[in-house]
Amino acid sequence: MALSGAMVSNSLFAKEPPAISALDKSALIYLSPILSNGNESKCHGEVWFIHHENEIFVVTQQDAWRAEAVRQGLNTAACWIGEFGVWTRAKNKYKSAPYLRLSGRLETDAGLHSTLLEKFGVKYAKEWDSWGPRFRKGLANGSRVMLRYQPIS
């Protein structure tokens, strides 16, 4: 018995995971570095992000815990996708959101910074007149860093 092309392609290819499709619909992600003992850090944070070529990019202050964690080799992070307001007032509601485990590193390529800052400007157009210059200046002078996260399968 032969299978039709439509039957084969529908049965062989899975849909995109809910967390990945949620990235393109959300303005925020909630990040928490994973400590060396495997527990989430007590420091969570809701952050702006860009989903670009199957990776997640975040710009943050260079002294933020999420940046310091990566510098210390704590590259794994928990990520919840959705919008629940400030994490301290969200009372863990974000933990019901689509979830990804990520592996992070610092991204230092100025050309990629420029490309992604343009994408931030489109995604966060209302706030970008204020935040765009801060991000650009901060990345240029080192007061901000770009973190690059890749989903871990």
Side-chain angles (χ1 to χ4, degrees):
M1 174 179 188
L3 296 175
S4 76
M7 286 178 62
V8 170
S9 63
N10 286 337
S11 64
L12 292 180
F13 299 105
K15 290 183 180 179
E16 189 172 71
I20 300 298
S21 57
L23 287 169
D24 295 326
K25 299 173 188 154
S26 182
L28 295 175
I29 57 173
Y30 294 76
L31 280 175
S32 177
I34 302 297
L35 302 173
S36 58
N37 65 7
N39 293 330
E40 295 167 15
S41 166
K42 290 182 179 169
C43 182
H44 292 63
E46 71 285 349
V47 294
W48 286 357
F49 73 98
I50 292 297
H51 180 217
H52 174 74
E53 296 182 355
N54 298 316
E55 294 182 300
I56 298 167
F57 294 84
V58 171
V59 175
T60 191
Q61 293 177 306
Q62 65 85 20
D63 60 352
W65 170 236
R66 65 187 138 267
E68 186 59 31
V70 169
R71 280 193 294 275
Q72 289 183 18
L74 299 173
N75 300 19
T76 304
C79 173
W80 296 269
I81 301 111
E83 298 176 42
F84 300 89
V86 178
W87 76 273
T88 54
R89 292 187 292 235
K91 300 190 192 278
N92 289 331
K93 289 180 189 170
Y94 60 90
K95 289 196 174 185
S96 67
Y99 173 84
L100 290 170
R101 194 105 163 156
L102 305 172
S103 176
R105 64 183 172 98
L106 293 172
E107 177 53 62
T108 59
D109 182 312
L112 187 56
H113 287 180
S114 181
T115 296
L116 294 173
L117 288 176
E118 292 302 319
K119 290 181 175 249
F120 272 99
V122 171
K123 184 173 184 178
Y124 302 103
K126 282 185 175 180
E127 300 92 346
W128 202 242
D129 283 346
S130 173
W131 284 97
R134 294 180 202 181
F135 278 28
R136 285 184 202 290
K137 182 179 176 185
L139 286 170
N141 70 21
S143 63
R144 292 186 185 271
V145 295
M146 182 175 285
L147 300 174
R148 179 179 197 154
Y149 291 101
Q150 183 173 43
I152 299 170
S153 23

